[in-house]
Amino acid sequence: LWCVYLFWCRSWIQIAVLCLSFAYGMASILPKTFPKEEISAIFSPVSLQTHQSPFQKGLIYKGTLSGSSFSVPCSIYYRGTESERPLANQNYLVQGSLQQRDENHFCFKPKKWEALGHSWNLAELRYQTKQQFRKLLAKHLPSPRVAIFLSSLTTGDVEDRMLRYEFGRLGLQHILAISGFHFGILIAFCSFCLQLFLSRTWKIWILFVAV
């Protein structure tokens, strides 16, 4: 329906962007076969967040694993100490085994990390900012459960398993995940406020930078 609307409006630039997006999606279809033996590949982290299992607490590195014949999105679970963990602001040459959990989910078990230098991502900065924000809430709020709830609501990372279970049981777990719908509400509210005293051009630029 959106394509029909664009053709009806003759929005050729948006149609071109849509075609390029479709071509990119087709080109990024995952290959059908992956190496089963131990491999060496380059891992580019995109995000880093805490992970709480029934037995211990760890970290999840999410990013792209690139080899000579494949490039797939994957996750790496890290259960070492905080002081010895690899920083998420650089690429790594990792050695280990790649496992496919489902059609679009891959997990890599590394035996060795070798830093390759800094890359252009903000995963480490986002992680450190979230950690400092959690500590700030825990320090100034008297109730630990309120601090956990507010940190989950604002960062999108639900560390507490009981909180995840309670919201999942009520069917409200999506509230704790930052999504495009939340950004849409925020943009609509800010757009309404900015249009009262700014021109349309300045309003769009301010919203673009803020988002």
Side-chain angles (χ1 to χ4, degrees):
L1 293 177
W2 179 248
C3 296
V4 173
Y5 172 75
L6 291 179
F7 277 103
W8 182 70
C9 296
R10 297 184 178 181
S11 302
W12 305 119
I13 296 179
Q14 297 186 33
I15 292 173
V17 172
L18 189 65
C19 293
L20 290 175
S21 302
F22 178 76
Y24 175 79
M26 294 299 295
S28 62
I29 293 178
L30 300 178
K32 299 299 182 181
T33 59
F34 301 93
K36 302 297 183 180
E37 67 277 0
E38 188 172 292
I39 61 172
S40 294
I42 297 177
F43 178 70
S44 302
V46 175
S47 66
L48 175 63
Q49 64 187 61
T50 56
H51 171 68
Q52 182 70 50
S53 68
F55 306 101
Q56 59 182 340
K57 186 177 181 180
L59 296 171
I60 301 179
Y61 292 79
K62 293 184 178 180
T64 304
L65 188 71
S66 303
S68 58
S69 60
F70 66 93
S71 179
V72 296
C74 77
S75 302
I76 297 179
Y77 293 85
Y78 178 81
R79 296 180 176 84
T81 60
E82 176 71 21
S83 59
E84 298 178 352
R85 69 172 179 84
L87 298 178
N89 61 351
Q90 54 189 330
N91 295 336
Y92 290 90
L93 178 63
V94 292
Q95 183 177 354
S97 58
L98 179 64
Q99 299 179 351
Q100 185 172 4
R101 297 292 180 86
D102 52 46
E103 184 177 358
N104 296 311
H105 183 207
F106 297 85
C107 181
F108 187 78
K109 293 186 176 181
K111 295 182 178 179
K112 182 180 179 181
W113 299 67
E114 181 180 345
L116 295 179
H118 291 271
S119 59
W120 290 98
N121 68 70
L122 301 175
E124 184 67 28
L125 178 61
R126 289 196 299 265
Y127 173 74
Q128 294 292 347
T129 303
K130 289 179 181 180
Q131 291 297 99
Q132 294 299 324
F133 184 70
R134 291 189 184 96
K135 293 179 181 178
L136 182 67
L137 290 177
K139 179 180 179 181
H140 292 283
L141 293 177
S143 174
R145 289 185 58 81
V146 173
I148 292 173
F149 170 72
L150 289 180
S151 65
S152 302
L153 192 64
T154 52
T155 64
D157 295 340
V158 186
E159 294 185 2
D160 189 80
R161 291 176 58 85
M162 184 56 65
L163 180 66
R164 186 185 296 111
Y165 168 75
E166 291 172 347
F167 272 77
R169 185 179 59 176
L170 296 175
L172 300 175
Q173 194 170 358
H174 63 280
I175 296 178
L176 301 177
I178 299 176
S179 65
F181 179 71
H182 295 119
F183 273 99
I185 295 176
L186 180 63
I187 292 173
F189 175 77
C190 294
S191 177
F192 173 77
C193 295
L194 291 175
Q195 72 181 3
L196 298 177
F197 53 90
L198 289 178
S199 65
R200 182 175 182 272
T201 302
W202 277 105
K203 181 190 71 172
I204 292 175
W205 276 108
I206 291 177
L207 289 175
F208 177 77
V209 174
V211 171

